[in-house]
Amino acid sequence: MSKFGLRSCKQLIDWINKYNEDKTLTATPFRKKVPVMSRKTTFEERIEIVEWITKGKHSYAEAAEHFKVSYQQVRSWVIKAQTGGYESLADNRGHRKPTTELTETDKLKRENRQLKAQLAEKKILEEFVKKYMELQRRG
């Protein structure tokens, strides 16, 4: 007790009871809680969210709560739209450029990546066959 500057056990019990009664002693968060996990959005929804923020002077947190998306996504969409326009909000993951639009170095890089993947696959298969043959000899 004296280590923490308390006069008696009763003082500690009173503090605990007060804490559990009216939660006024707890710290208040700085911002509202917004969803961490986000949902999938379409290109049109992203444009709508960005316009809602820029035209209505709303905050990222308000937009995240209103549209049920994450704060980070809203912020990144607004920044992308401001720097690269609405075209930059398009989700281009998984889409390859057609070979007609590639430069010679891009074509060579793509071919190099494919050959490395084939070589790695071949090595794994050879190791598997080697290990299989070893197990066959033992048994």
Side-chain angles (χ1 to χ4, degrees), residues 1-16:
M1 294 293 207
S2 61
K3 179 179 178 182
F4 298 105
L6 299 175
R7 292 182 300 243
S8 66
C9 289
K10 176 86 170 100
Q11 185 181 13
L12 178 62
I13 292 168
D14 289 342
W15 284 356
I16 291 171

Side-chain angles (χ1 to χ4, degrees), residues 4 23 43 45 54 59 71 74 90-91 104 108 112 133 135:
F4 298 105
K23 304 293 181 184
F43 178 66
E45 281 181 304
T54 54
S59 70
Y71 176 92
V74 172
D91 187 5
E104 190 62 34
L108 290 172
N112 191 13
M133 295 300 283
L135 291 172

Side-chain angles (χ1 to χ4, degrees), residues 56-73:
K57 304 291 186 216
H58 297 283
S59 70
Y60 298 142
E62 289 172 334
E65 190 175 327
H66 183 264
F67 291 99
K68 304 287 188 265
V69 292
S70 73
Y71 176 92
Q72 283 76 19
Q73 277 187 316

Side-chain angles (χ1 to χ4, degrees), residues 25-124:
L25 296 177
T26 60
T28 56
F30 296 112
R31 292 191 307 209
K32 289 182 181 178
K33 293 275 186 180
V34 291
V36 175
M37 292 300 293
S38 188
R39 61 181 179 81
K40 289 186 178 184
T41 55
T42 63
F43 178 66
E44 289 78 22
E45 281 181 304
R46 289 183 217 130
I47 291 174
E48 180 187 351
I49 292 169
V50 169
E51 287 179 349
W52 192 76
I53 290 172
T54 54
K55 290 180 181 172
K57 304 291 186 216
H58 297 283
S59 70
Y60 298 142
E62 289 172 334
E65 190 175 327
H66 183 264
F67 291 99
K68 304 287 188 265
V69 292
S70 73
Y71 176 92
Q72 283 76 19
Q73 277 187 316
V74 172
R75 183 178 179 278
S76 71
W77 292 333
V78 171
I79 291 170
K80 280 182 183 178
Q82 288 172 346
T83 57
Y86 288 139
E87 300 83 36
S88 61
L89 296 177
D91 187 5
N92 294 322
R93 292 177 296 174
H95 298 284
R96 287 181 145 194
K97 286 184 181 177
T99 52
T100 54
E101 292 181 18
L102 293 176
T103 63
E104 190 62 34
T105 54
D106 288 337
K107 288 178 184 176
L108 290 172
K109 284 179 183 177
R110 185 181 282 182
E111 185 180 351
N112 191 13
R113 230 178 303 136
Q114 288 173 344
L115 291 173
K116 282 183 179 179
Q118 288 174 354
L119 186 62
E121 259 182 55
K122 188 176 179 181
K123 283 183 179 180
I124 290 171

